[in-house]
């Protein structure tokens, strides 16, 4: 984490952030271009439940989690009839955060609406120890703005079926300050980054005595714009970089869980994902536009020979970019020596 408004990533076991797979209500939100997630763009207000899986145990959720996976979920409260929340935060350097939430519903229907806004001028003063004279300088070009909305609908026609629709739209704008070791005028280079995203997840879950089914589809649209302006004497600000990137990801998932008996359970899932990525830099006139289709088949066996021992075997085979990847597997054993501890 590099501070408020700056890049924040997560990594497990010494791996890179791109080796950490992040899902929001089951759909992967890693950037198809960078392979990572900037957590500074995810307000904590929007998270109802968060779970971590380390290493190979993440293959039960998705592929590519060499380090692990992070699952972010939004959940309904079927007992809630009406709830209104509002949070206000304020701090130095003209920093303020606002968050509002309205929940209402019944035993069969629930709605959640969340709104948030965050802004900071972020122009604090500090002693620059990277410069020999160690002058007292102000953090210039570091302001940030983030605002968005999340809407959730849950419908439960009976106790065996749940249908949900979740949508999350957000915009973010932030200026990027020069590195601390830079001894020139901080106004000579102006950097700015715009992030826009729209995520939608549709899900149906069916629960039977022995068989549970889950069907999910989702769309993740990410748009990133970056500009860098250089100040040239007698000319003014001249664009050095002006790039825009758009990433459209479509996810489809079906999963079945079957309980053979109280000690043996079988899991199986199939995923089909589509990616369309475009990037263009207008100063040097470079870029590309490409698409990719991915498929993945997952299966797992979970067996408890006794109350103290749990055994598991999970397999996943991916078909990415027209080629099969090596089979991924995970075998595990859990032993509880003292049940009451």
């Amino acid at each position: 984490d590099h501070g408020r408004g700056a890049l924040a990533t997560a990594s497990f076991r010494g791996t890179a952030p791109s080796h950490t797979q992040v899902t929001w209500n089951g759909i992967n939100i890693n950037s198809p271009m960078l392979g990572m997630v900037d957590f500074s763009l995810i307000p904590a207000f929007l998270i109802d439940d968060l779970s971590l899986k380390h290493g190979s145990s993440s293959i039960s959720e998705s592929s590519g989690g060499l380090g692990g996976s992070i699952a972010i979920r939004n959940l309904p409260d079927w007992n809630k009839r009406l709830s209104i929340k509002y949070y206000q935060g304020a701090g130095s350097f003209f920093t303020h955060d606002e968050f509002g939430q309205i929940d209402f519903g019944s035993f069969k229907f629930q709605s959640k609406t969340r709104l948030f806004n965050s802004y900071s001028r972020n122009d604090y003063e500090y002693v620059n120890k990277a410069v020999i004279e160690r002058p007292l300088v102000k953090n210039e070009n570091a302001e940030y703005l983030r605002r968005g909305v999340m809407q959730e609908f849950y419908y439960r026609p009976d106790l065996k079926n749940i249908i949900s629709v979740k949508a999350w739209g957000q915009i973010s704008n932030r200026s990027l300050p020069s590195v601390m070791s830079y001894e020139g005028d901080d106004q000579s280079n102006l950097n700015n980054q715009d992030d826009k995203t729209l995520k939608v997840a549709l899900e149906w879950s069916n629960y039977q005595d022995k068989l549970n089914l889950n069907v999910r589809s989702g769309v993740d649209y990410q748009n990133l714009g970056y500009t860098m302006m250089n100040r040239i004497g007698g000319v003014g600000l001249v664009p050095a970089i002006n790039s825009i990137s758009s990433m459209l990801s479509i996810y489809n998932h079906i999963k079945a869980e079957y309980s053979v008996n109280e000690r043996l359970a079988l899991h199986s899932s199939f995923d089909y994902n589509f990616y369309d990525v475009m990037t263009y830099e207008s100063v040097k006139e470079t870029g590309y536009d490409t698409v990719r289709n991915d498929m993945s088949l997952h299966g797992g066996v979970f067996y408890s020979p006794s109350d103290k021992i749990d055994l598991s075997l999970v397999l996943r085979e991916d078909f990415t970019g027209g080629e099969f990847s090596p089979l991924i597997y995970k075998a595990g054993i859990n032993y509880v020596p003292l049940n009451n501890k």
Side-chain angles (χ1 to χ4, degrees):
D1 190 342
H2 299 278
R4 295 197 64 179
L7 178 68
T9 57
S11 61
F12 293 81
R13 307 185 306 157
T15 60
S18 58
H19 295 143
T20 301
Q21 297 300 301
V22 184
T23 59
W24 170 73
N25 294 304
I27 69 172
N28 191 294
I29 59 174
N30 289 60
S31 167
M33 296 182 65
L34 301 175
M36 65 178 69
V37 170
D38 184 358
F39 281 89
S40 71
L41 299 176
I42 304 178
F45 310 116
L46 303 184
I47 301 174
D48 293 330
D49 180 73
L50 187 145
S51 62
L52 310 177
K53 291 189 176 181
H54 292 76
S56 58
S57 60
S58 66
I59 68 173
S60 61
E61 298 287 342
S62 62
S63 302
L66 178 65
S69 66
I70 300 176
I72 299 171
R73 286 185 288 268
N74 299 107
L75 304 172
D77 183 352
W78 297 106
N79 296 318
K80 190 164 291 185
R81 296 298 176 261
L82 176 64
S83 173
I84 300 176
K85 300 178 183 178
Y86 178 76
Y87 298 93
Q88 173 71 61
S92 303
F93 318 112
F94 204 72
T95 302
H96 57 86
D97 301 278
E98 296 86 29
F99 170 71
Q101 179 173 332
I102 300 176
D103 303 349
F104 68 90
S106 62
F107 179 78
K108 290 190 173 184
F109 174 80
Q110 287 290 323
S111 171
K112 282 187 176 184
T113 304
R114 315 184 205 212
L115 300 163
F116 62 91
N117 178 77
S118 180
Y119 173 80
S120 177
R121 197 177 290 158
N122 207 23
D123 55 350
Y124 55 87
E125 291 185 336
Y126 64 96
V127 175
N128 193 344
K129 296 182 180 181
V131 179
I132 297 177
E133 292 81 6
R134 295 192 175 186
L136 183 66
V137 297
K138 181 177 286 188
N139 189 39
E140 302 282 358
N141 303 316
E143 68 176 353
Y144 63 84
L145 168 69
R146 184 181 61 208
R147 58 175 54 135
V149 58
M150 179 181 289
Q151 178 64 58
E152 307 160 50
F153 294 113
Y154 302 89
Y155 177 57
R156 184 170 62 174
D158 52 55
L159 294 179
K160 293 185 177 181
N161 292 276
I162 297 177
I163 301 171
S164 65
V165 179
K166 308 177 186 76
W168 171 17
Q170 179 173 308
I171 61 173
S172 172
N173 180 275
R174 49 188 164 178
S175 298
L176 308 177
S178 301
V179 295
M180 292 179 62
S181 59
Y182 180 66
E183 300 185 39
D185 182 5
D186 200 31
Q187 300 293 325
S188 61
N189 295 293
L190 299 180
N191 299 269
N192 185 269
Q193 180 174 317
D194 269 310
D195 293 273
K196 301 181 181 69
T197 182
L198 175 63
K199 309 178 193 298
V200 180
L202 297 88
E203 187 172 5
W204 169 60
S205 297
N206 176 263
Y207 304 95
Q208 303 294 333
D209 294 337
K210 288 182 173 291
L211 179 65
N212 295 335
L213 293 176
N214 178 265
V215 179
R216 181 174 58 243
S217 290
V219 176
D220 180 15
Y221 174 76
Q222 302 180 37
N223 183 283
L224 186 150
Y226 173 74
T227 58
M228 183 175 75
M229 308 288 285
N230 291 338
R231 190 180 300 277
I232 299 178
V235 178
L237 290 172
V238 177
I241 299 175
N242 183 24
S243 70
I244 184 171
S245 303
S246 65
M247 296 149 278
L248 175 64
S249 306
I250 301 176
Y251 300 95
N252 299 280
H253 169 88
I254 182 170
K255 182 178 182 179
E257 300 178 355
Y258 182 70
S259 298
V260 179
N261 50 49
E262 293 183 353
R263 297 194 177 275
L264 178 63
L266 307 176
H267 293 184
S268 181
S269 67
F270 175 76
D271 292 83
Y272 169 70
N273 305 324
F274 170 80
Y275 305 93
D276 186 353
V277 176
M278 183 281 294
T279 180
Y280 181 70
E281 202 283 305
S282 61
V283 176
K284 296 183 180 179
E285 297 185 347
T286 60
Y288 63 86
D289 188 350
T290 186
V291 300
R292 193 182 78 193
N293 293 276
D294 292 354
M295 289 181 285
S296 182
L297 183 63
H298 156 264
V301 180
F302 303 87
Y303 178 58
S304 299
S306 70
D307 293 338
K308 294 179 176 292
I309 299 177
D310 293 322
L311 306 175
S312 65
L313 175 64
V314 181
L315 304 174
R316 182 177 288 274
E317 178 63 45
D318 295 330
F319 184 76
T320 304
E323 296 183 0
F324 285 99
S325 64
L327 182 68
I328 309 171
Y329 63 90
K330 178 246 180 182
I333 178 171
N334 292 332
Y335 175 65
V336 183
L338 302 172
N339 288 337
N340 60 347
K341 299 296 181 180

